[in-house]
Amino acid sequence: MAVSTLIGAKIHRREDPRLVSGRGRYVDDMQPTNVLHAAFIRSPYGHAKISRIDLTEATKAPGVEAIYTARDFEKILQGAMPVTNSFVADKKQPIGWAYIAKDETRYQGEIVAVVLARGRDEAADAASLVQVDYKPMTPVVDIDGAVAKGSPTAHSGIPDNIAWDTTVGGGDVKAAFAEADVVVKQRILQQRLFPIAMEGRALVVEYTPIENKLTMWSSTQVPHWVRLCLTLATGIPESNIRVIAPDVGGGFGSKIHIYPEEYLAAAASKLSGQAVKWVEERSENLTATHHGRAQIFDIEVAAKKDGTLLGYKVTQYVDTGAYVSVFSSFQCSAYAIAEGAYDLKNVEFRTVGVLTNTTPTDAYRGAGRPEATHAIERGIDLVARELGMDPVEIRRKNFTKKFPHTNYLGLIYDTGDYDKALTKALEIANYSELRRRQEDLRKQGKLIGIGLSTWIEVCGFGPGQGHATTFAQIAAETLGIPYDQTEVRTGDTGDTPFGYGTYGSRSLHVGGSAVLMSSRKVVDKAKKLAAHLLEAADEDVVFEGGRFYVKGSPDRAKTMGEIAFAAHRDNLPPGMEHGLEATTYYDPPDLSWPFGAHVCVVEVDPETGAVKLQRYVAVDDCGNVINPMIVEGQVHGGVVQGIGQALFEEVLYDHETGQLKTGTLREYMVPTANEIPEFVTERTVTPSITNPLGAKGIGEAGTIASSIAVINAVCDALTPLGIKHIDMPATSDRVWKLIKEAGK
Amino acid sequence: MSHKVVTTVNGRRYEHEVEPRLLLVHHLRDNLGLTGTHIGCDTTQCGACTILLDGQAVKSCNLFAVQAEGRSLTTIEGMAKDGQLHPIQQAFWDEHGLQCGYCTPGFIMAAAYLLAENPNPTEDDIRRGFEGNLCRCTGYVNIIKAVQTAARTMGGAEAKPATQAAERRA
Ligand code: FES
Ligand code: FES
């Protein structure tokens, strides 16, 4: 990209003045008059039969307008929830996910009835009067329980709990393991997590009869998908549905699913003839909004004595929860980058989807990539330890060094320089000094650990926050107009063409490229028009600094503004249409592969097991950077979410009842400013060759690398005690128990 | 049975009849239309609803509207004056102390209290001051920087220079 003034600059985010002054527009801030408030009645059990629903008392409650159950919705919502994803096509058990439970409920939080009332509190009061008689059944709440022989099934009438079982691979894994000097094996837990966007989900929806139109405001990451799915479910044509995502208070994947509430609220508006509003409460959110991770990895790594990696076998169990969710293919996407940053061709990856009586799982920040990175980075550390090698040395030895690189599945990595990122991270962290200090402190009985992770990611299918700013920077730069004169609109299906939304760190890579290409189309057209007005040949016109002029006479210039105005007047070249607009649907020809290296230093207290983070260094490479301030912010957020997983967060279910044991934020620890160390974020720049911006996604980088950097550091700290592995979250309790056992 | 509540919010007097169970945060949002105060939890953990009650930071989801009778309240909408952002708001903007912005009003109000009590907070003071506020987007790094910057612009004498805020104001 040419020398630029706007691209790469730390420009202030333009959405911020509104947001810092309390003038954001989140869905709950909309207070339409004459709206009915919805309350959902949800099953309190993991698995139960519904024997009777009695609405007598609830119907009489003050303010109640209507109460609906499964039967009412049958007239309006067709079949089961539309599942939009191709992966589900080859699942073993095609299990439909009903919009609302009729005879059986399969997770705590599954909806059985909907109350509409004039006020929020009235809806809640009436909901508490709905009498549902349940016959509780034995639930299965985790992978081990669900795959065990003779275990109960999550759904009545299915033979077992396996939703899918698929193996992919490349190279000759058998030969690689036969040739190996060492093979390490490890079971690794990816515990279940709550995504916890600070704003829960929220909806306002209005159906207008006669016109047969539906307008929905939803706190969603994917308004165009919501519209499509509403069409599939209700039969209302897409052109009659408008979905608007106003300000969205965080998503992290939890708002890419199209949820039962969206269909049911839309249908309830149609049934009642009135607008309907619903705002999810936090405790409701913890059962009703999808969870993340919930996986187990069994890994085997084969290597030569000198540390050369030979082969890699993985079995991934994914706890799908009670239903296979819309984007759960992200849940198994770990296979795509199983071998991480290493040149390793002999790989076998088996993924098994397991149904349980828990909230369905789906993409959560990083979706598949943190899991893949965790597994291989844990594996390579275990090999290094087995061989007495330094974790740095073994990584350098095995890095993929030539690009473009074709991985074991045939995916092409565009560009990379993994050693550069690692070297920089080690320099900043002062690695050799750290190791020296570690040795000294170990002699004094102190448990210091240094953890590394080198990560790669595949982008092109991603949440970009701050795109109003980033996109405007790109457009202003290319069009040669002041940044202040651009406006970015997203999130409303009414005035934007179809887009897949923001997930998988795709905003910049895909959306940004589309903005760039559209801007270039506009410049091309404007140039033709300028040539016409300046009475010159197209090729003689120069575009520079927002002005068009004929070569050699820069004084007689037309500005982009003048051209835009002229484009709506009559003096156009023959055949040219009015207006200065362009639309681009950008489908990147290939994926882009950001990467990086993180170093974490921890101290473990041998008495209490408490893990203290001492230092965190993140070096990330996401190609050309449009706005470094936004990139850095995304890395900070991601790193902290990863630290949360490594040390604090875990969703737990009661085995008997299938109910959450961590049902509020009191039991589930979201990291606060107190738990987080100061950290250093740095960059290397290796531009992508697969998109015109040279950019790669970054939204998830921090999360991908951080949980494993922390865990590798904790394992390193515990090495003198003979401890090889610890599962997440490494709470003081868990660490303390391991230390006690090791001492026996 | 409803009760009369008279409050002064951001310098304006309001009089309402409310139900005794109405939470203060709902009163502010629903009756006064001050939707800048957010709700992020139902167990008083997240601090998204933080406001000042007679100058003290409180979680408005943890009080009933009737408890605000006769009191003076400041919400996020009352921070900017004469079309100028408050220095804390400006610092959040300058230091990229927000992403989705949902937690931000709560953090800014908590920061306002923190700086009123302690104009020169150390980094540790700031972290401790935010014990009751959750943010899921920023990793807190830039929120802490924002408070340091605000402390400086508000005249806290020893507050350390945070970052090159000026350079960012491209
Ligand atoms: S809404 Fe008040 S603390 Fe969460
Ligand atoms: S900025 Fe999103 S929760 Fe803090």
Side-chain angles (χ1 to χ4, degrees):
Chain A
M1 175 140 291
V3 186
S4 53
T5 45
L6 280 171
I7 295 181
K10 290 185 171 180
I11 301 259
H12 273 47
R13 293 205 321 171
R14 51 173 50 185
E15 50 271 56
D16 287 1
R18 244 175 0 96
L19 298 178
V20 297
S21 24
R23 293 181 206 291
R25 288 299 271 169
Y26 301 91
V27 172
D28 191 20
D29 301 340
M30 301 184 35
Q31 306 185 336
T33 44
N34 278 329
V35 72
L36 296 179
H37 293 260
F40 292 97
I41 290 94
R42 300 172 183 277
S43 169
Y45 297 104
H47 196 183
K49 290 270 185 217
I50 303 171
S51 41
R52 199 174 66 108
I53 303 178
D54 181 355
L55 305 175
T56 330
E57 289 305 305
T59 314
K60 288 189 255 168
V64 169
E65 293 278 321
I67 306 178
Y68 303 123
T69 58
R71 250 169 276 290
D72 302 296
F73 291 105
E74 277 165 8
K75 293 167 245 159
I76 298 193
L77 298 171
Q78 301 158 7
M81 298 214 305
V83 171
T84 47
N85 127 350
S86 55
F87 176 78
V88 178
D90 53 75
K91 73 183 192 235
K92 187 182 154 212
Q93 304 204 45
I95 284 169
W97 184 351
Y99 303 97
I100 181 167
K102 198 170 169 190
D103 314 307
E104 184 175 318
T105 64
R106 301 177 182 105
Y107 66 94
Q108 179 194 14
E110 186 161 9
I111 300 168
V112 297
V114 188
V115 171
L116 298 184
R118 279 193 287 274
R120 179 187 46 231
D121 295 338
E122 288 163 324
D125 290 347
S128 68
L129 297 173
V130 172
Q131 288 284 341
V132 186
D133 294 343
Y134 294 98
K135 265 204 228 93
M137 302 159 72
T138 314
V140 276
V141 299
D142 58 15
I143 292 168
D144 281 337
V147 298
K149 270 222 158 52
S151 65
T153 53
H155 293 240
S156 306
I158 58 169
D160 59 37
N161 294 313
I162 306 300
W164 72 74
D165 188 341
T166 307
T167 303
V168 295
D172 190 340
V173 179
K174 226 186 188 159
F177 275 78
E179 194 193 326
D181 298 315
V182 288
V183 171
V184 300
K185 296 184 186 185
Q186 185 63 49
R187 169 161 276 212
I188 299 168
L189 182 70
Q190 281 282 342
Q191 81 272 34
R192 179 182 279 260
L193 301 174
F194 294 137
I196 315 215
M198 288 319 300
E199 179 208 24
R201 291 183 294 124
L203 296 170
V204 173
V205 53
E206 182 164 22
Y207 174 78
T208 33
I210 306 168
E211 289 175 292
N212 191 30
K213 279 200 169 149
L214 191 72
T215 307
M216 177 180 282
W217 288 262
S218 175
S219 181
T220 178
Q221 292 168 248
V222 290
H224 287 94
W225 278 116
V226 174
R227 183 178 64 175
L228 177 65
C229 287
L230 285 172
T231 290
L232 294 171
T234 62
I236 301 171
E238 250 190 295
S239 54
N240 282 8
I241 303 181
R242 180 172 168 207
V243 179
I244 303 142
D247 288 324
V248 174
F252 318 116
S254 71
K255 296 175 182 172
I256 70 168
H257 174 46
I258 296 95
Y259 284 92
E261 291 86 354
E262 282 164 321
Y263 301 106
L264 295 174
S269 176
K270 189 167 177 182
L271 284 167
S272 66
Q274 292 199 60
V276 170
K277 179 173 179 176
W278 169 71
V279 178
E280 186 180 56
E281 292 191 353
R282 180 60 59 193
S283 41
E284 188 177 25
N285 167 267
L286 301 184
T287 62
T289 290
H290 76 235
H291 297 170
R293 311 282 190 261
Q295 300 167 26
I296 293 174
F297 282 75
D298 285 325
I299 64 162
E300 288 180 54
V301 192
K304 282 202 248 180
K305 268 205 286 295
D306 69 355
T308 307
L309 299 181
L310 293 172
Y312 186 38
K313 275 197 258 186
V314 186
T315 302
Q316 174 204 34
Y317 296 92
V318 179
D319 178 347
T320 66
Y323 301 95
V324 174
S325 181
V326 179
F327 288 99
S328 59
S329 58
F330 280 143
Q331 286 286 80
C332 35
S333 66
Y335 73 87
I337 55 161
E339 82 283 36
Y342 310 108
D343 191 2
L344 183 52
K345 288 282 166 44
N346 307 312
V347 181
E348 185 182 291
F349 193 104
R350 174 175 172 218
T351 171
V352 183
V354 180
L355 294 159
T356 60
N357 293 114
T358 59
T359 295
T361 61
D362 205 320
Y364 169 62
R365 201 162 188 171
R369 292 154 285 176
E371 297 93 312
T373 308
H374 204 96
I376 186 72
E377 290 296 297
R378 200 73 275 284
I380 200 164
D381 263 25
L382 287 167
V383 173
R385 184 156 153 173
E386 192 74 28
L387 297 172
M389 274 177 89
D390 188 286
V392 172
E393 197 192 327
I394 192 165
R395 283 177 171 78
R396 286 203 169 121
K397 191 171 187 79
N398 289 285
F399 276 149
T400 299
K401 296 178 187 93
K402 283 207 206 75
F403 294 90
H405 165 79
T406 308
N407 90 340
Y408 85 101
L409 281 178
L411 294 170
I412 296 171
Y413 295 16
D414 57 344
T415 53
D417 189 343
Y418 305 153
D419 202 1
K420 188 165 74 180
L422 178 61
T423 303
K424 188 158 183 178
L426 295 174
E427 269 167 27
I428 297 170
N430 206 349
Y431 185 71
S432 31
E433 173 56 30
L434 274 176
R435 284 283 177 214
R436 255 195 304 279
R437 201 162 58 94
Q438 178 184 40
E439 205 147 300
D440 291 347
L441 290 167
R442 272 184 182 164
K443 286 187 196 128
Q444 306 167 25
K446 291 214 165 127
L447 300 173
I448 302 291
I450 306 160
L452 303 180
S453 75
T454 39
W455 64 275
I456 64 160
E457 166 178 19
V458 48
C459 284
F461 28 80
Q465 279 155 341
H467 32 260
T469 307
T470 315
F471 289 180
Q473 281 174 262
I474 297 169
E477 169 84 24
T478 317
L479 296 173
I481 55 175
Y483 169 77
D484 298 340
Q485 290 178 16
T486 59
E487 188 187 322
V488 173
R489 287 203 224 153
T490 55
D492 183 348
T493 63
D495 66 3
T496 53
F498 191 90
Y500 283 147
T502 59
Y503 53 87
S505 301
R506 65 194 297 280
S507 275
L508 179 55
H509 174 104
V510 180
S513 293
V515 171
L516 177 70
M517 289 157 80
S518 284
S519 305
R520 284 183 181 161
K521 286 183 201 167
V522 165
V523 171
D524 285 348
K525 182 169 180 187
K527 198 168 172 181
K528 285 204 179 72
L529 182 51
H532 175 73
L533 297 174
L534 294 166
E535 295 170 346
D538 291 1
E539 52 287 2
D540 291 337
V541 173
V542 182
F543 178 54
E544 198 183 62
R547 299 158 76 249
F548 296 90
Y549 58 85
V550 181
K551 245 179 255 163
S553 42
D555 306 338
R556 257 187 77 223
K558 297 266 178 207
T559 64
M560 185 58 96
E562 287 171 310
I563 298 291
F565 189 62
H568 291 278
R569 298 177 64 97
D570 287 336
N571 184 14
L572 297 178
M576 184 180 276
E577 285 174 28
H578 279 97
L580 206 48
E581 293 171 6
T583 304
T584 304
Y585 292 86
Y586 179 62
D587 188 7
D590 255 311
L591 305 164
S592 81
W593 301 79
F595 58 91
H598 291 202
V599 180
C600 174
V601 184
V602 301
E603 178 168 1
V604 176
D605 182 332
E607 302 299 319
T608 63
V611 176
K612 199 169 160 25
L613 287 171
Q614 291 193 332
R615 188 107 206 272
Y616 199 97
V617 177
V619 174
D620 297 308
D621 190 319
C622 52
N624 284 334
V625 167
I626 310 299
N627 190 325
M629 188 177 79
I630 289 175
V631 165
E632 239 173 66
Q634 296 264 306
V635 172
H636 295 157
V639 166
V640 169
Q641 271 181 329
I643 293 175
Q645 175 172 19
L647 298 180
F648 311 115
E649 301 179 32
E650 181 169 36
V651 177
L652 294 170
Y653 276 97
D654 184 288
H655 285 248
E656 309 279 300
T657 62
Q659 291 165 335
L660 280 178
K661 290 206 275 191
T662 50
T664 75
L665 290 189
R666 277 186 228 284
E667 296 87 33
Y668 187 88
M669 163 122 183
V670 175
T672 71
N674 262 328
E675 281 85 34
I676 300 307
E678 217 194 311
F679 46 88
V680 185
T681 46
E682 269 290 349
R683 256 181 295 132
T684 58
V685 178
T686 311
S688 172
I689 48 171
T690 61
N691 67 75
L693 286 170
K696 303 181 176 190
I698 194 71
E700 335 217 29
T703 327
I704 295 176
S706 62
S707 65
I708 180 59
V710 175
I711 289 297
N712 276 347
V714 175
C715 293
D716 186 49
L718 298 175
T719 299
L721 307 175
I723 296 167
K724 283 194 186 149
H725 177 76
I726 188 162
D727 274 322
M728 299 185 288
T731 55
S732 50
D733 194 46
R734 183 172 267 159
V735 176
W736 183 79
K737 278 187 194 135
L738 268 185
I739 294 176
K740 282 278 141 308
E741 268 163 40
K744 272 185 207 152
Chain B
M1 215 193 82
S2 57
H3 290 252
K4 190 163 103 177
V5 181
V6 182
T7 51
T8 307
V9 182
N10 304 329
R12 262 181 75 179
R13 188 175 174 281
Y14 293 89
E15 199 177 313
H16 277 93
E17 294 285 328
V18 303
E19 286 208 29
R21 68 167 171 175
L22 184 73
L23 295 177
L24 180 56
V25 66
H26 285 140
H27 179 56
L28 293 169
R29 293 178 51 85
D30 301 351
N31 294 339
L32 276 53
L34 297 171
T35 55
T37 303
H38 294 155
I39 304 171
C41 72
D42 42 18
T43 47
T44 66
Q45 239 94 25
C46 78
C49 62
T50 308
I51 61 161
L52 302 181
L53 183 69
D54 291 332
Q56 235 188 333
V58 294
K59 293 181 173 176
S60 61
C61 72
N62 202 21
L63 291 168
F64 294 111
V66 291
Q67 291 174 283
E69 162 65 24
R71 316 281 291 267
S72 168
L73 285 66
T74 310
T75 68
I76 187 72
E77 289 90 346
M79 293 295 281
K81 293 263 151 60
D82 310 320
Q84 291 289 314
L85 292 179
H86 185 281
I88 302 176
Q89 294 173 311
Q90 184 68 43
F92 269 72
W93 190 19
D94 291 343
E95 299 292 355
H96 190 34
L98 63 150
Q99 289 181 27
C100 80
Y102 198 77
C103 69
T104 312
F107 272 95
I108 289 176
M109 300 316 289
Y113 176 63
L114 180 90
L115 291 178
E117 293 287 295
N118 178 1
N120 297 307
T122 62
E123 186 176 327
D124 266 355
D125 294 337
I126 301 173
R127 287 175 187 272
R128 264 197 309 274
F130 287 141
E131 227 159 33
N133 292 74
L134 295 178
C135 173
R136 198 64 161 163
C137 299
T138 63
Y140 304 103
V141 181
N142 290 345
I143 293 181
I144 293 165
K145 272 191 211 160
V147 177
Q148 289 168 328
T149 298
R152 224 161 14 105
T153 41
M154 287 165 71
E158 296 133 47
K160 280 176 259 103
T163 54
Q164 303 74 19
E167 166 211 311
R168 286 186 177 170
R169 220 167 287 138

